[in-house]
Amino acid sequence: MPTLALVGAGSGMGLAIARTFGSRGFDVALISRTKEKLQTLVDRLGQEGITAAAFPADVLDRASLTDALDAAKARFGGIDVLEYSPAPHSPVPGVTLAAPSEATVDNLQPQIEYVFYGAVAAARSVLPAMREAGAGTLLFTTGGGSVDPLPMLGNVNAASAALRNWVLNLDKELAGSGVHAAHVAINVWIGDGGPEGFPTATPEQIAPLYWDLHENRDRSEAVFNA
């Protein structure tokens, strides 16, 4: 069975992406900070006939992230698709929002660590085996501000744009290797509770885009708009 590793797995987009791939024959490795929440997702997927396992890790602790991916590879025999989309739903120390004119090294660095460096560490953990096998997909998610930045998210947008640039360049480097990298920019509020007038979409509406990028290896980017 092929395996999807989800870094930043949660009950919204993570669960929807897991279902999208799991319903098509993939096993699922779920990676995020909280073991109890992960186990809840494992149980829900299991009830739907999808084999999943939990691997707790913090993307700000790159050693723990690498260890979790190594454990997932050992459990399932390898990783065929990596999806990276951590999004804090509770405060993360040092991770704050700043407008472009308020950006400092101190409030930019945690965003870069969280959004960009974690993605690089995850990719480096799985890419050698994918290259050796001549097959694999690397998917990375940011908000729409990586493409069309919003002033209120100045430091987040900068880190997200760095990740986007790196992913698009990585896909160029991997051309002809059988390994494909792609970036997803989600330019809507996911679920309920968004700002008034801001476009919204459900995780279930967005998740098929990830399968499309996995299947269509000529595409290195997709932007989801309402």
Side-chain angles (χ1 to χ4, degrees):
M1 297 279 282
T3 299
L4 164 70
L6 277 166
V7 179
S11 59
M13 281 304 310
L15 181 58
I17 295 169
R19 284 170 167 159
T20 297
F21 280 80
S23 65
R24 292 167 170 83
F26 275 71
D27 293 333
V28 182
L30 300 170
I31 300 170
S32 70
R33 288 187 295 167
T34 308
K35 182 177 181 180
E36 293 75 16
K37 291 181 180 179
L38 286 176
Q39 191 57 51
T40 298
L41 298 179
V42 169
D43 294 341
R44 289 178 67 177
L45 291 168
Q47 292 169 5
E48 299 171 20
I50 298 170
T51 299
F55 303 92
D58 186 341
V59 298
L60 291 173
D61 179 351
R62 288 187 285 280
S64 80
L65 177 56
T66 298
D67 287 346
L69 287 164
D70 286 346
K73 286 182 278 187
R75 165 68 173 80
F76 290 114
I79 293 172
D80 301 276
V81 178
L82 170 74
E83 195 279 320
Y84 184 90
S85 58
H89 297 286
S90 58
V92 176
V95 177
T96 60
L97 305 181
S101 64
E102 298 168 345
T104 66
V105 170
D106 288 339
N107 62 39
L108 275 168
Q109 189 62 40
Q111 295 290 351
I112 292 170
E113 295 274 352
Y114 192 85
V115 174
F116 186 25
Y117 292 168
V120 172
R124 288 182 61 85
S125 178
V126 302
L127 185 53
M130 288 182 176
R131 275 181 149 159
E132 184 175 351
T137 302
L138 304 163
L139 302 171
F140 303 87
T141 303
T142 68
S146 62
V147 179
D148 184 14
L150 298 172
M152 64 177 290
L153 301 172
N155 57 343
V156 180
N157 294 162
S160 298
L163 174 58
R164 173 179 179 260
N165 179 281
W166 176 79
V167 173
L168 298 181
N169 205 18
L170 176 63
D171 191 54
K172 291 179 180 179
E173 178 191 351
L174 294 172
S177 70
V179 184
H180 170 50
H183 170 251
V184 179
I186 300 178
N187 201 30
V188 297
W189 186 273
I190 303 171
D192 300 324
E196 185 176 354
F198 199 83
T200 64
T202 66
E204 290 73 23
Q205 289 173 311
I206 302 169
L209 183 60
Y210 290 82
W211 183 260
D212 291 344
L213 285 171
H214 169 59
E215 288 282 276
N216 186 350
R217 310 185 75 77
D218 293 331
R219 296 178 66 192
S220 59
E221 182 168 44
V223 179
F224 187 93
N225 294 297

